[in-house]
Amino acid sequence: MIRAEGLTKDYGARRAIDNLTFETRQGEIVGFLGPNGAGKTTTMRILTGYMPPTAGTATVAGFDVVEESLEVRRRVGYLPETVPLYPDMTVFEYLKFMADLRHLPNAEDAVDEALEAVGMSERADGYIANLSKGMRQRVGLAQALLHKPEVLILDEPTIGLDPAQVVEVRTLIREIGKERTVMLSTHILSEAQQVCDRVLIINKGRLVAEDTPENLQARLTGAQRARLRVRGDIEDARPLIARIDGVQDIKILDDGALEFQFAPATDIRPTVAKAVVQAGLDLLELSPVGMSLEEIFLELTRGETTVR
Amino acid sequence: MRNIWTIARREYRQYFISPLAYVTALAILLVVGAYFSLYLYFVSQQSLFGAQAPETNIVVGPMATIFLLGIPALTMRLLADEQRMGTLELLLTAPVRDAELVIGKWLGAFLFALTIIAITFIFPVILNALVDPGIDQGIMISGYLGIILMVAALLALGTAISALFSNQFAAFFVTLGLMLFLWWVIGWPSSVFQYGAPHDIFEHLNISKHFGDMTGGNVTLAAIVYFLSLTILGLLVGTTAVETRRWR
């Protein structure tokens, strides 16, 4: 559905994205993961026909984003990072305006349907200026859904929402992604893990990894870490842990917790728990330590090797 | 066509919730009305001495002057504000051609200006009732045609300048400067060169000259071509400005 080949964009002397090549299939939710300034928004702006690439080509739903931009824009629903709304219009007026621009035959029905989908029906006559950030985000999403697009491109769809709204929006995206192709950008690893079928990781404009979230995590870490806290001195626990088979790389952290590494195939956490309790120590915490996004980037960008 | 109309309609409605548009409309109507009343008062004092009966230009003339100040206020936010609010991204990723966007914006402003002009039409009607045997219909029609053509052209230039800026106040002052230049400054060389090609060229570029012809009852092809060309030029520059935004 989306195919990018050698996509490159320069802003003056600065290269925002560098030779990006990727592909997404129909009915797939693809996460575009990277830190701020990695080139996520730039890529999405190229795919939606907002601006042309400096080099390379991209097609969306079979149409070239530069040569057949209008065809692409007819088939894409786009939610930019700063939700584009007119504060002095009502929700309904705004969506009706966008539906008219898209020449939808039953514009008012389409608006009602989109409002229903994002759960904003009861606020249709309210002014956009009076909506909370989460509601604005949902109106923006309704705008992207109006014409039932084949491809949905969402730039940081959950940014600035409260936790309950984040869950709602993620559920909504999963729902939409059953039939349509969704590409969403995020800088939150767990979001990509929860929502996406496949993740593209970019850093400094380059694609550094592309895989399912599970594979990515496993391949990147190769081992799992866990964190242990006990009441009293953690040094008492250290020899207990060191004795257990498969435990490596024990570290005492500044906050009084202990971290250790083990092979993911053998989850030895129950053994650890038993050992601690049997030694008469009070177990306060034993939790897995996920690799943070920053660590993954460090890992992936070390020596500029590309994992593909 | 349909997209132009959708955008124009939104823009037209937008003026009715914008205080600035009300202030502009009020200023135009107030000045035109005050000038009209005072003029009639003075003429009525002199009529015994056979003063000339007033014509439509006492309405259209001051209206043009106030429009010169009002048009930058009407056009400054058209595209500059879309850029600032981030809604330009919405319009540029909707299936709308850049030209349709610019023409739609201009048309919305033009329809609002036409609404103001339509309200002033009450003055020629009053004048017609007061003057015996009525005012010159030809001068009235050509005067109104003149102001409509001029406003269309100036609004197109203002739209173009708004497309070049993301700050509406910058757009306001540049538009105002251009307006005063075309209305006033450009007339200077034509009075320096008393005759010959330089004189003709600068005189032909002068808005106030063409507008003066029209309000005097002189519908010239030169004036019509001039105003229409300016309108098209403005819309072309505006479209190009939006297109080049994409490449930045």
Side-chain angles (χ1 to χ4, degrees):
Chain A
M1 285 310 267
I2 301 174
R3 183 199 295 265
E5 264 188 57
L7 224 48
T8 301
K9 176 79 187 178
D10 295 333
Y11 294 117
R14 196 174 74 83
R15 178 148 290 190
I17 57 170
D18 191 5
N19 201 16
L20 280 188
T21 300
F22 60 87
E23 208 176 325
T24 73
R25 289 174 291 274
Q26 183 161 9
E28 188 179 41
I29 304 180
V30 176
F32 212 35
L33 190 65
N36 296 327
K40 302 185 298 269
T41 299
T42 301
T43 309
M44 292 187 148
R45 284 180 163 176
I46 292 170
L47 294 177
T48 51
Y50 179 69
M51 57 180 169
T54 309
T57 56
T59 59
V60 176
F63 294 95
D64 187 276
V65 293
V66 178
E67 301 297 323
E68 299 155 303
S69 175
L70 283 178
E71 292 301 320
V72 169
R73 289 187 245 160
R74 278 192 191 107
R75 287 164 178 81
V76 171
Y78 177 38
L79 175 66
E81 190 177 2
T82 43
V83 184
L85 301 171
Y86 297 105
D88 40 22
M89 289 176 109
T90 68
V91 172
F92 187 86
E93 282 169 353
Y94 167 74
L95 292 175
K96 175 74 167 46
F97 170 65
M98 292 312 294
D100 287 342
L101 280 186
R102 293 195 173 276
H103 301 189
L104 300 185
N106 297 313
E108 306 206 345
D109 294 346
V111 171
D112 288 340
E113 233 172 281
L115 280 173
E116 184 80 44
V118 298
M120 285 287 291
S121 298
E122 71 282 7
R123 297 300 294 263
D125 295 322
Y127 280 95
I128 291 173
N130 301 336
L131 298 181
S132 70
K133 179 138 173 71
M135 286 178 171
R136 287 177 193 215
Q137 196 83 15
R138 283 195 270 169
V139 175
L141 200 55
Q143 170 274 127
L145 292 171
L146 268 179
H147 52 299
K148 302 195 168 58
E150 293 169 45
V151 177
L152 204 59
I153 295 183
L154 311 171
D155 199 353
E156 301 268 4
T158 58
I159 204 163
L161 301 185
D162 67 42
Q165 292 165 334
V166 168
V167 173
E168 267 175 57
V169 169
R170 283 179 188 164
T171 315
L172 189 61
I173 293 170
R174 279 240 72 115
E175 198 62 36
I176 298 161
K178 281 177 187 161
E179 298 145 45
R180 294 180 237 286
T181 306
V182 181
M183 181 168 202
L184 65 93
S185 74
T186 176
H187 60 264
I188 307 159
L189 183 62
S190 65
E191 176 160 293
Q193 281 169 333
Q194 283 172 33
V195 182
C196 303
D197 302 318
R198 210 150 54 83
V199 177
L200 307 174
I201 295 186
I202 69 167
N203 187 37
K204 294 186 183 137
R206 285 164 185 264
L207 194 63
V208 288
E210 175 187 353
D211 213 329
T212 61
E214 296 76 26
N215 287 352
L216 213 52
Q217 180 111 38
R219 199 177 59 182
L220 280 171
T221 50
Q224 229 175 323
R225 291 185 76 81
R227 174 186 157 86
L228 171 78
R229 247 157 39 87
V230 297
R231 198 188 298 279
D233 193 358
I234 194 73
E235 285 296 345
D236 298 343
R238 186 175 192 143
L240 299 171
I241 308 300
R243 226 176 286 144
I244 297 167
D245 251 8
V247 168
Q248 295 167 329
D249 190 23
I250 301 174
K251 272 188 220 151
I252 306 282
L253 304 179
D254 292 342
D255 65 347
L258 176 149
E259 254 189 43
F260 59 92
Q261 203 174 337
F262 59 94
T266 60
D267 196 344
I268 52 166
R269 280 177 291 173
T271 323
V272 172
K274 259 178 232 153
V276 170
V277 174
Q278 277 166 8
L281 293 170
D282 288 341
L283 180 60
L284 291 180
E285 182 188 343
L286 178 58
S287 55
V289 177
M291 219 174 169
S292 74
L293 188 58
E294 289 69 29
E295 288 171 303
I296 288 183
F297 283 119
L298 286 177
E299 194 69 30
L300 285 171
T301 52
R302 191 174 295 154
E304 291 291 321
T305 49
T306 304
V307 190
R308 297 224 69 190
Chain B
M1 263 328 272
R2 199 169 149 185
N3 290 336
I4 294 175
W5 182 239
T6 304
I7 290 168
R9 208 175 40 192
R10 196 195 84 80
E11 213 53 55
Y12 183 71
R13 286 199 196 129
Q14 203 72 15
Y15 281 118
F16 286 93
I17 50 173
S18 148
L20 192 65
Y22 275 109
V23 170
T24 307
L26 182 74
I28 292 169
L29 295 174
L30 203 65
V31 168
V32 171
Y35 187 84
F36 181 77
S37 318
L38 289 173
Y39 196 96
L40 282 195
Y41 173 73
F42 285 119
V43 166
S44 69
Q45 302 295 8
Q46 296 170 353
S47 62
L48 292 174
F49 309 105
Q52 213 190 337
E55 289 295 350
T56 316
N57 53 13
I58 67 160
V59 179
V60 176
M63 182 157 55
T65 315
I66 305 301
F67 257 124
L68 285 183
L69 303 170
I71 281 172
L74 292 180
T75 57
M76 65 181 193
R77 33 161 296 281
L78 282 179
L79 286 147
D81 213 34
E82 300 273 357
Q83 171 76 20
R84 186 186 59 81
M85 293 198 304
T87 42
L88 195 65
E89 192 165 356
L90 182 75
L91 297 174
L92 294 188
T93 54
V96 177
R97 289 182 180 82
D98 295 352
E100 291 175 324
L101 170 63
V102 172
I103 296 171
K105 288 282 181 182
W106 165 80
L107 184 61
F110 183 53
L111 291 176
F112 184 72
L114 279 185
T115 310
I116 299 174
I117 294 172
I119 296 171
T120 68
F121 204 68
I122 191 171
F123 298 119
V125 171
I126 295 171
L127 203 56
N128 193 43
L130 292 176
V131 177
D132 188 37
I135 54 167
D136 187 328
Q137 309 273 329
I139 292 182
M140 184 190 73
I141 291 169
S142 79
Y144 267 87
L145 187 63
I147 190 108
I148 289 170
L149 285 173
M150 187 187 90
V151 163
L154 296 182
L155 285 172
L157 295 177
T159 308
I161 291 166
S162 181
L164 289 165
F165 289 91
S166 38
N167 180 318
Q168 41 176 321
F169 297 104
F172 176 87
F173 285 109
V174 173
T175 309
L176 184 63
L178 181 67
M179 250 128 258
L180 292 177
F181 180 79
L182 287 174
W183 176 264
W184 184 36
V185 179
I186 210 162
W188 298 348
S190 63
S191 31
V192 173
F193 307 105
Q194 302 272 322
Y195 50 86
H199 173 82
D200 292 350
I201 291 170
F202 281 108
E203 190 166 77
H204 195 77
L205 291 174
N206 190 342
I207 289 187
S208 48
K209 193 250 168 206
H210 292 295
F211 181 67
D213 284 349
M214 301 280 291
T215 51
N218 222 346
V219 183
T220 62
L221 185 64
I224 293 176
V225 169
Y226 173 75
F227 285 128
L228 289 182
S229 318
L230 265 191
T231 310
I232 292 166
L233 177 74
L235 296 175
L236 276 177
V237 171
T239 305
T240 312
V242 171
E243 270 165 13
T244 49
R245 276 198 178 282
R246 293 180 185 271
W247 291 92
R248 276 189 227 159

